[in-house]
Amino acid sequence: MRKYWPAVLLVAVAAGIPTRVIAQEQAGAKAAATVEAAVGTAIADRALTGAGDSFKADAGTLYCFSKVYNAADSEIEHVWYKGDTEMGRVKLKVGGSPWRTHSSKKLGENPAGDWRCDVVQDGKVLQSVKFKVE
């Protein structure tokens, strides 16, 4: 048995190599970007205030605030919609993880209706925040 020991050891080591390679590839895989987002009436002390899902037409300007995870050194977009009509698009830098950022949208004349702000990265909607202006 002693003269076969090196061969058994070699087979055992060789069998473990694919397992280690797969584990390293999985560990190196980048987690998908995720986001928490909300719409409100102001930004104060780097946080959203006046968050809600319904706003008065005289609010003037609304803000979409996003906290982004797993997207360091990239960009996202806030895409504002009234109904199905795109009303604005803002590119935002993501410098770290987590990263807080925001955009604003002036509502303009006749703002009443169903709105949403989509948080988009590389053409994929990460989160959609729906709200109503009355």
Side-chain angles (χ1 to χ4, degrees), residues 9-55:
L9 184 60
L10 182 62
V11 170
V13 169
I17 290 173
T19 304
R20 270 189 241 118
V21 170
I22 292 169
Q24 288 172 351
E25 286 175 0
Q26 289 174 345
K30 186 176 178 183
T34 59
V35 65
E36 297 171 11
V39 172
T41 56
I43 302 291
D45 295 324
R46 299 186 308 162
L48 182 69
T49 61
D53 57 8
S54 181
F55 302 94

Side-chain angles (χ1 to χ4, degrees), residues 54-118:
S54 181
F55 302 94
K56 294 187 179 192
D58 64 359
T61 301
L62 293 178
Y63 298 83
C64 183
F65 182 87
S66 299
K67 189 170 185 181
V68 185
Y69 300 88
N70 301 321
D73 302 320
S74 67
E75 285 186 345
I76 62 168
E77 290 181 303
H78 283 176
V79 186
W80 295 82
Y81 292 91
K82 179 181 177 189
D84 291 329
T85 304
E86 184 176 317
M87 303 298 286
R89 183 178 291 259
V90 181
K91 287 188 180 193
L92 301 162
K93 179 185 175 220
V94 177
S97 182
W99 190 263
R100 295 177 290 189
T101 189
H102 69 275
S103 68
S104 63
K105 178 69 182 118
K106 292 187 182 197
L107 296 177
E109 293 184 32
N110 303 317
D114 293 324
W115 286 72
R116 76 178 192 270
C117 184
D118 290 347

